[in-house]
Amino acid sequence: VQQTKDFLPFMTAGSPSQLDKVWSKKIVWVSPKRDQWGRRVLILRLGKWNPSDFSVQHLYTATFSLLQMISLEAVTQVAGTVFVADMQGFGFKHLKALGVEELRCLGSFLSGGFPMWFRKLHIVNNPRLFNMLYTILKGFLGPRIKDEVQFHGYTLPTLLEAVPAEVLLKDLGGKSNDADIDISQEALKKNEDRVLKIVEELESLSKQ
């Protein structure tokens, strides 16, 4: 319950249909294709986020909404989800926008606050500045998820060994394209009522 309380305030910045300013930047999405183990793959291009365009709360809410949607899938409940975080372009403006409370929220979310099995977190194109941020985030991560974080640096072949090219965009050595980004956003808006119901349930849980 405490973990839910930690992240929930950052996840209620708007309904999926109210987050077009996030979706238009094509920063976060779920691939329409699963990986070789049947897992969903969520891709986040954090370095392409400009904090002056929208807040971290809006970015978190958009990400949370996508995960809520796929958490309703029976296959995903068993197979779990993989994160791919592309840090190309990460700089001081991102470091400034992600404070301790924002990192605590993310840590709680990944470490059991949200009912989903996060199988692996792949971090690619990570500059030294992001590595400093991760040192702080690591303090908020549970032991299991810490063991599932893999840094690839600027070595794309190691990422492609772990994640199929079909789910990655071409700038990560993959075969996907922007049309695949739009698919998950459109599906999310169609399932908006179900996603908002999960938010209500989590809000009720956090009050216990």
Side-chain angles (χ1 to χ4, degrees):
V1 173
Q2 184 57 50
Q3 289 174 322
T4 302
K5 289 180 179 179
D6 286 341
F7 77 74
L8 195 58
F10 291 92
M11 306 298 182
T12 51
S15 65
S17 60
Q18 296 172 326
L19 296 172
D20 283 342
K21 57 186 173 183
V22 180
W23 307 132
S24 65
K25 300 299 182 181
K26 301 185 185 300
I27 292 173
V28 60
W29 70 96
V30 174
S31 170
K33 305 178 183 70
R34 296 178 182 270
D35 72 3
Q36 59 268 51
W37 293 285
R39 303 178 298 195
R40 281 294 189 191
V41 180
L42 182 138
I43 301 171
L44 172 66
R45 296 195 284 191
L46 188 61
K48 292 186 177 296
W49 167 49
N50 186 347
S52 64
D53 289 339
F54 50 84
S55 69
V56 65
Q57 285 87 354
H58 286 89
L59 179 59
Y60 275 16
T61 298
T63 306
F64 177 54
S65 297
L66 287 168
L67 290 169
Q68 285 177 305
M69 177 180 69
I70 62 176
S71 73
L72 299 171
E73 301 169 338
V75 174
T76 304
Q77 291 169 7
V78 176
T81 301
V82 172
F83 271 89
V84 176
D86 182 4
M87 296 299 160
Q88 185 71 48
F90 184 90
F92 283 103
K93 63 183 178 182
H94 303 104
L95 192 67
K96 184 178 179 180
L98 295 167
V100 172
E101 288 306 311
E102 287 80 5
L103 295 177
R104 186 196 307 276
C105 161
L106 180 58
S108 295
F109 185 83
L110 293 171
S111 301
F114 184 72
M116 178 175 283
W117 192 349
F118 297 113
R119 294 280 194 167
K120 203 78 176 179
L121 174 55
H122 296 282
I123 300 174
V124 65
N125 294 326
N126 47 294
R128 290 184 178 180
L129 192 62
F130 174 77
N131 297 344
M132 294 169 53
L133 185 74
Y134 180 74
T135 299
I136 302 173
L137 173 61
K138 191 174 181 180
F140 300 119
L141 295 176
R144 190 197 65 79
I145 195 65
K146 283 180 186 177
D147 293 339
E148 301 303 337
V149 178
Q150 182 175 354
F151 286 87
H152 297 273
Y154 296 93
T155 309
L156 294 182
T158 62
L159 176 65
L160 288 166
E161 289 175 3
V163 182
E166 287 74 18
V167 308
L168 299 173
L169 291 181
K170 293 178 181 179
D171 56 1
L172 289 179
K175 301 177 181 178
S176 183
N177 54 52
D178 283 1
D180 286 344
I181 300 176
D182 297 332
I183 290 173
S184 65
Q185 297 166 3
E186 292 167 2
L188 177 59
K189 291 178 181 179
K190 289 179 181 178
N191 287 278
E192 183 165 308
D193 289 345
R194 299 177 70 189
V195 169
L196 292 177
K197 183 168 180 56
I198 296 177
V199 174
E200 293 176 1
E201 292 172 351
L202 289 173
E203 288 177 333
S204 177
L205 177 63
S206 68
K207 296 174 182 178
Q208 294 180 5

